[in-house]
Amino acid sequence: MAEEFDLIETYFQPLSVVRSTELGIGDDGAVLDCPVHHQLVVVTDTLIEGVHFPESTSADAIAWKALAVNLSDLAAMGATPAFYSLALSLPQSKNNQAWLFSFAQGLSKLANLYAIPLIGGDTTKHDKLVVTITAHGWVPSLQMIRRSGAEVGDSLYVSGRIGDAGLAVPKILNHDVCPDVLRQALDYPQPRVSLGQLLLKYANSAIDVSDGLLADLHHILTQSSVAAQLNYSMMPFSDLVKQHTAASQDWLFPVTAGDDYELCFTVPKDKEQAFLVEAELLDTDVTKIGEIVEDRTDEKIIWIDTPEGFEAGDKRLGYRHYD
Ligand code: ADP
Ligand code: MG
């Protein structure tokens, strides 16, 4: 069994490469340089075993996801990731070389993509695995993207695909066969960091989709005092998700299931062409799914172009059916 100091030195210290003017792991506090004309963006997310990931999840995936969900929050703000800290509550069953090595690898795989160091944290013993990461990033002063900036006439976009991760969850919990592509979407979300930085130039508002597209879009809508018209036929669903919705007639499943870690954002029409040209160069697809409209009723989300049978008693997050 690794003792706390050995554990930190062996597995976490190697992830803490900072500049010569800075301090990472090893002192009572980390000390970091701040770029001029920027503001610090700070986000925190906790993952609890059995709550935020299935107990069968590999150490590598738990670590990846714990960092990814934080980088996704930074991306939604338009921030460039800078560094992160880790508070780890570790059960005895996972305090072994194989598990810790794999956990540290999951962290470093993602952190290396953005060259961000682990700058400190805390390690405690606990009967359940709890992983809390705090990530820090920079935005040019006063240019952060907010949920409250959506305006009537903005086009509404989402990145990547929606619903794959959510579809994996019941399959895993029921011990059904779970196609790799779904398990991958659940275990290894890809934070849309470059897209977030591009959105600094183009988006009026953005949010990261963690609790389901409708629920998170709803935050933009309420904080911006607007409504949205959503086009069901334009949603970026995979074939597996389409098969599931058609078979179950549960049309709202993929937009309410969560765990997507995509960005949902609004772009004013006069910037849309330029945005799309630059977005082409990213490795992430963006899909226009609707438009921001005036908030005239209590229904914040108005669906158009829906499949037959769409209304079938489903009232998760108010919608109105228009065809
Ligand atoms: P203290 O007793 O002062 O809280 P610790 O013994 O907890 O310090 O930590 C020693 C050093 O190791 C600190 O620099 C701390 O930030 C770092 N550290 C502790 N746990 C972790 C962890 N899980 N990940 C990264 N760094 C950690
Ligand atoms: Mg401590």
Side-chain angles (χ1 to χ4, degrees), residues 4-5 8 121-124:
E4 185 182 345
F5 294 117
I8 294 165
D122 198 22
T123 307
T124 50

Side-chain angles (χ1 to χ4, degrees), residues 1-220:
M1 290 301 156
E3 285 306 320
E4 185 182 345
F5 294 117
D6 296 340
L7 185 157
I8 294 165
E9 199 179 311
T10 308
Y11 301 103
F12 298 137
Q13 188 97 46
L15 307 183
S16 186
V17 179
V18 296
R19 301 172 197 197
S20 59
T21 48
E22 299 177 319
L23 294 178
I25 291 177
D27 274 85
D28 287 308
V31 179
L32 289 315
D33 298 332
C34 313
V36 289
H37 307 309
H38 283 71
Q39 287 179 301
L40 178 65
V41 182
V42 184
V43 302
T44 299
D45 247 313
T46 293
L47 300 191
I48 302 172
E49 177 176 40
V51 178
H52 299 100
F53 54 88
E55 311 221 347
S56 62
T57 309
S58 70
D60 181 271
I62 294 166
W64 174 287
K65 186 162 183 170
L67 182 55
V69 301
N70 279 282
L71 298 189
S72 180
D73 280 328
L74 287 180
M77 302 300 295
T80 301
F83 38 80
Y84 66 104
S85 62
L86 166 70
L88 185 63
S89 292
L90 196 64
Q92 209 51 260
S93 62
K94 295 188 162 59
N95 188 352
N96 59 69
Q97 200 187 350
W99 195 91
L100 286 164
F101 179 77
S102 164
F103 184 83
Q105 256 200 336
L107 279 183
S108 67
K109 268 195 297 188
L110 181 54
N112 288 346
L113 293 181
Y114 302 104
I116 51 173
L118 173 61
I119 47 111
D122 198 22
T123 307
T124 50
K125 289 185 181 146
H126 192 58
D127 53 3
K128 247 189 195 306
L129 176 68
V130 182
V131 184
T132 299
I133 286 185
T134 299
H136 302 243
W138 309 115
V139 281
S141 292
L142 302 176
Q143 287 181 39
M144 75 295 241
I145 310 167
R146 303 193 53 190
R147 297 176 175 182
S148 57
E151 289 186 15
V152 173
D154 283 1
S155 292
L156 183 62
Y157 281 84
V158 73
S159 63
R161 286 190 306 203
I162 292 295
D164 282 356
L167 188 53
V169 174
K171 292 187 191 296
I172 293 165
L173 297 181
N174 295 330
H175 303 285
D176 288 342
V177 177
C178 181
D180 275 353
V181 57
L182 302 184
R183 181 88 212 211
Q184 193 74 12
L186 181 68
D187 283 352
Y188 295 96
Q190 305 291 321
R192 304 307 187 187
V193 172
S194 319
L195 173 61
Q197 286 166 265
L198 183 63
L199 294 182
L200 273 181
K201 255 199 312 190
Y202 293 110
N204 274 345
S205 65
I207 191 165
D208 91 306
V209 179
S210 52
D211 297 333
L213 178 62
L214 290 193
D216 288 313
L217 169 60
H218 214 259
H219 293 306
I220 287 187

Side-chain angles (χ1 to χ4, degrees), residues 250-290:
D250 188 357
W251 304 107
L252 288 188
F253 178 82
V255 290
T256 52
D259 264 314
D260 298 300
Y261 299 102
E262 296 295 346
L263 297 185
C264 175
F265 53 96
T266 75
V267 178
K269 292 245 163 57
D270 60 344
K271 293 187 180 169
E272 201 171 357
Q273 280 319 312
F275 163 66
L276 289 173
V277 168
E278 288 209 58
E280 268 294 299
L281 304 173
L282 300 174
D283 52 7
T284 312
D285 289 340
V286 296
T287 307
K288 184 170 177 169
I289 56 169

Side-chain angles (χ1 to χ4, degrees), residues 296-316:
R296 290 168 184 263
T297 65
D298 344 325
E299 308 258 11
K300 285 268 184 198
I301 292 171
I302 301 154
W303 281 106
I304 61 167
D305 208 8
T306 52
E308 213 173 304
F310 179 78
E311 274 187 304
D314 198 332
K315 292 291 172 206
R316 278 169 287 173

